[in-house]
Amino acid sequence: MRRALLALAAIGISTVHALTGQWACADELCLTATRDNGIDTYTLQPVADIPHSHFGWMAVGWGAQMIGSPMVIVWPNEDGTFTLSQRQAIHHQEPPLVASPPRTATLESDLSWSNDTSTSITFTMPSNSDNTTSFIWALSNTNPANSDPGANLIEHTWRGVIFASMEADWTGNRIQMSSKFDTHSPANTKSGKASFALIAHITCGVLATMMVLPGGVVVPRITRGLTTSNWWFRFHQISQGICAIALIAAGFGIALRFGGELDSTHRKTGVALFALTIVQILLGLFAHYYTPGWRVRRFVFETKRGRGPSNFLHVIMGVIIVAVGWSTCWTGLTDEWHRRGHGIPKNGFRIGWGMIIMLWIAAYFLGIIFLLPRQLRIESKQRDEMRKYENNEVYRNSAVALANEYYMEERGVKVFSPTSDMHQLSPEVHGNGNDLPRSPTHSQYTFQSYPRSPETSPSQLNISSFGNSSSTYFGHFAAPGAPAPPNPSRPEGLDGGSVEHDPPATNLSANLSAVTIPITLAPSKAVSPPPPPRPPRQHNWNLMKNKI
Ligand SMILES: *[C@@H]1O[C@H](CO)[C@@H](O)[C@H](O)[C@H]1NC(C)=O
Ligand SMILES: *[C@@H]1O[C@H](CO)[C@@H](O)[C@H](O)[C@H]1NC(C)=O
């Protein structure tokens, strides 16, 4: 009798509480929510098949937003078990465990599965009186790798809102929700693999940080010790100023599309890399094109080569940027890869990263140890040549002042070249009966020299020459007798350098009176007044444009 009553009651209850509920799907997750006999049963399963290796966790919450909604989070473990964790978010952060939830959920291990095809997890909880409920849901590709319900969770890859009516008659039909409440990461495909955008981001990032940035530093470091050509500077400009910034900007732009917050080391170092690279390019342009005036240079240091503080800052920043780039690459391949749900990164990534940076570091330090001294030697030799050249210039100017019509050819071609004025002068014989053979066509010119400095009196310098009026003359200087040749003051620029070994101008006439020297007459050229001597420091700045 009692048993019959119980059976009746059971039939009665089952007729009153027929199976109700809905099967609702968002873009990435389906929720099957049924109510039967005071028990609500929920099944969570991703829409696209996600193999166990890429499966993270799934969550459903009662409410329309994350904060304040009770949640059930489930995930499969390596050992084939499942973990159920009831949590509630206080902030937009990882929700903490709730000790005594309003309704306690029970995992249905027999109905749950996870294998190479996909994962489906079912749990039950006591019914409440709600009919139509909005559910928040989330899905992550990163497994907590821990069966403890309080395990640390890495942020969801997708999330959204689903509506399901617990009291609607169960039809078994799938209801597709509008995806307007869903957000997802463009870095992941639905099955958790790397999207095309992510592959492009990785390609740009790896090329920029592992190849172009260190290459633009190391290759010039080596070539500058091997050759004096400016080839390295063009290379540096193109590699860093065009290729590196283009790749970094492209990688950064793609990363912005991935959305989310600045919540990982990779994202922070990536932003730093982008900002530092832009600052560095501006600094490089500044160091190269801006020549500080004397007002500024009084207050800053400057090397012999004309390198100022901006050059050294540029080098230090460059080394920092390369390091930030390597760290961005490392965190992207390790932490970020896992964090955004692409599974456990393969060891090959780490090994490849380590090998590449070891090669760059070795090349750079070998360059510093063996080639930097050589480069400095080459530069110092160049400075010496520069100084000689400048001295030559001063000497030439003095010579012009000394002999008016004569000037020295540049770069140590030590011949006197008469100018056009010479031919206008009347030939006036001043032969002093020296023993040189004379050609019948010989002629003598007298030149008036103007004083180089006020204390030198005007005097006369005679030259006897013969030959054709066009090309090469053989002639000699002769002291005219009464008025002594000028005794010019020593030019300032004559200290040091090879030109000093030439016979000083004072003894010119005396020594040369007996010697025949070849004189090349240059085609008519007007004597230009000697340019004012430039300060050597300035010259260094102009010469040494490509400094670092
Ligand atoms: C995974 O389990 C589901 C449900 O039991 C099954 O339908 C599917 O064939 C399984 N896949 C594999 C690869 O075992
Ligand atoms: C629950 O909601 C569904 C759809 O909104 C509706 O069809 C059904 O009648 C409701 N049931 C109850 C008991 O209110």
Side-chain angles (χ1 to χ4, degrees):
M1 185 61 193
R2 204 177 157 194
R3 194 178 282 178
L5 268 177
L6 273 176
L8 256 179
I11 291 164
I13 290 165
S14 65
T15 23
V16 173
H17 299 280
L19 181 68
T20 58
Q22 283 180 330
W23 178 19
C25 291
D27 270 359
E28 278 86 20
L29 189 78
C30 282
L31 173 71
T32 312
T34 59
R35 179 166 289 174
D36 188 17
N37 207 5
I39 301 288
D40 288 354
T41 304
Y42 297 94
T43 299
L44 297 173
Q45 186 174 347
V47 171
D49 286 343
I50 302 178
H52 182 83
S53 55
H54 280 89
F55 200 91
W57 51 264
M58 296 183 282
V60 64
W62 289 259
Q65 58 174 21
M66 182 176 161
I67 294 172
S69 301
M71 283 184 253
V72 171
I73 301 170
V74 288
W75 64 87
N77 298 307
E78 275 306 310
D79 57 3
T81 63
F82 300 88
T83 298
L84 184 148
S85 167
Q86 288 193 269
R87 307 196 185 194
Q88 190 158 341
I90 304 161
H91 307 291
H92 262 292
Q93 281 166 2
E94 188 189 346
L97 273 179
V98 177
S100 49
R103 293 190 287 168
T104 304
T106 310
L107 182 77
E108 298 291 331
S109 295
D110 293 346
L111 301 172
S112 305
W113 54 270
S114 178
N115 58 27
D116 285 346
T117 308
S118 197
T119 295
S120 173
I121 298 177
T122 300
F123 63 91
T124 58
M125 56 173 33
S127 304
N128 62 9
S129 58
D130 292 349
N131 179 11
T132 301
T133 310
S134 91
F135 296 94
I136 52 166
W137 63 268
L139 178 62
S140 165
N141 284 121
T142 309
N143 196 278
N146 188 340
S147 58
D148 177 15
N152 198 22
L153 293 182
I154 283 167
E155 201 189 350
H156 46 70
T157 316
W158 299 278
R159 66 182 169 86
V161 177
I162 294 178
F163 298 95
S165 298
M166 302 301 295
E167 301 280 341
D169 289 340
W170 173 256
T171 60
N173 294 332
R174 171 182 163 149
I175 300 165
Q176 181 66 46
M177 295 284 136
S178 135
S179 62
K180 70 179 171 189
F181 299 110
D182 297 354
T183 62
H184 65 282
S185 160
N188 303 57
T189 63
K190 284 185 182 179
S191 56
K193 304 240 169 65
S195 67
F196 177 75
L198 180 62
I199 292 170
H201 169 80
I202 293 171
T203 307
C204 290
V206 169
L207 275 179
T209 58
M210 303 306 284
M211 295 296 301
V212 180
L213 278 183
V217 171
V218 172
V219 171
R221 174 77 278 127
I222 290 173
T223 54
R224 290 173 76 182
L226 297 177
T227 162
T228 53
S229 114
N230 275 352
W231 174 86
W232 72 269
F233 186 67
R234 288 270 159 257
F235 176 85
H236 183 76
Q237 271 184 317
I238 291 169
S239 115
Q240 313 299 74
I242 297 175
C243 299
I245 187 65
L247 287 170
I248 290 172
F252 186 75
I254 296 169
L256 288 181
R257 292 187 57 235
F258 296 158
E261 280 151 36
L262 209 57
D263 55 357
S264 66
T265 317
H266 176 70
R267 292 187 168 192
K268 287 170 190 162
T269 52
V271 170
L273 177 66
F274 182 64
L276 285 174
T277 309
I278 288 177
V279 172
Q280 173 74 338
I281 285 178
L282 296 177
L283 185 64
L285 291 174
F286 178 82
H288 182 62
Y289 289 111
Y290 172 72
T291 302
W294 61 271
R295 275 175 227 278
V296 177
R297 272 156 63 196
R298 276 189 307 174
F299 298 107
V300 296
F301 68 89
E302 178 185 314
T303 65
K304 286 186 209 156
R305 186 76 170 173
R307 292 176 178 128
S310 57
N311 297 106
F312 287 92
L313 195 59
H314 187 69
V315 170
I316 293 165
M317 280 270 289
V319 171
I320 291 175
I321 286 175
V322 169
V324 170
W326 286 343
S327 120
T328 306
C329 185
W330 173 260
T331 52
L333 293 177
T334 56
D335 173 60
E336 192 78 2
W337 186 257
H338 172 68
R339 177 185 286 266
R340 307 297 166 199
H342 302 286
I344 305 297
K346 295 191 173 60
N347 266 339
F349 285 151
R350 297 160 196 257
I351 296 169
W353 182 92
M355 278 169 45
I356 291 174
I357 73 153
M358 287 314 288
L359 282 178
W360 285 128
I361 290 175
Y364 189 71
F365 279 103
L366 289 179
I368 285 195
I369 294 167
F370 294 108
L371 295 172
L372 184 62
R374 199 181 126 93
Q375 179 196 333
L376 294 179
R377 270 202 307 279
I378 291 173
E379 287 181 3
S380 134
K381 209 175 284 171
Q382 281 180 338
R383 271 198 302 280
D384 287 348
E385 304 241 311
M386 199 62 220
R387 213 172 291 131
K388 276 181 204 166
Y389 176 74
E390 283 177 352
N391 290 342
N392 256 355
E393 203 168 53
V394 175
Y395 183 67
R396 188 187 75 202
N397 295 340
S398 315
V400 168
L402 172 69
N404 187 11
E405 266 51 76
Y406 296 105
Y407 69 93
M408 283 188 70
E409 296 287 351
E410 272 183 24
R411 289 257 167 208
V413 183
K414 290 172 193 72
V415 292
F416 291 105
S417 305
T419 63
S420 61
D421 299 342
M422 176 175 173
H423 303 287
Q424 289 156 14
L425 292 165
S426 59
E428 191 184 326
V429 178
H430 271 273
N432 59 351
N434 62 58
D435 50 6
L436 278 174
R438 298 202 176 177
S439 110
T441 59
H442 91 277
S443 56
Q444 284 184 322
Y445 299 111
T446 302
F447 300 115
Q448 190 79 26
S449 75
Y450 57 70
R452 190 185 177 281
S453 50
E455 67 269 18
T456 314
S457 60
S459 58
Q460 283 192 317
L461 183 66
N462 289 349
I463 195 170
S464 32
S465 58
F466 51 89
N468 287 327
S469 59
S470 59
S471 55
T472 306
Y473 285 70
F474 288 94
H476 67 276
F477 293 95
N487 198 353
S489 63
R490 185 184 170 83
E492 298 83 354
L494 270 172
D495 308 286
S498 63
V499 287
E500 210 176 1
H501 305 306
D502 292 340
T506 325
N507 303 326
L508 202 58
S509 55
N511 289 343
L512 292 183
S513 59
V515 179
T516 300
I517 57 162
I519 296 177
T520 303
L521 288 189
S524 43
K525 235 186 207 175
V527 174
S528 51
R534 283 173 293 173
R537 264 164 85 86
Q538 167 113 29
H539 210 111
N540 282 346
W541 273 88
N542 292 337
L543 173 73
M544 310 311 171
K545 267 306 182 188
N546 26 33
K547 284 161 277 192
I548 290 204

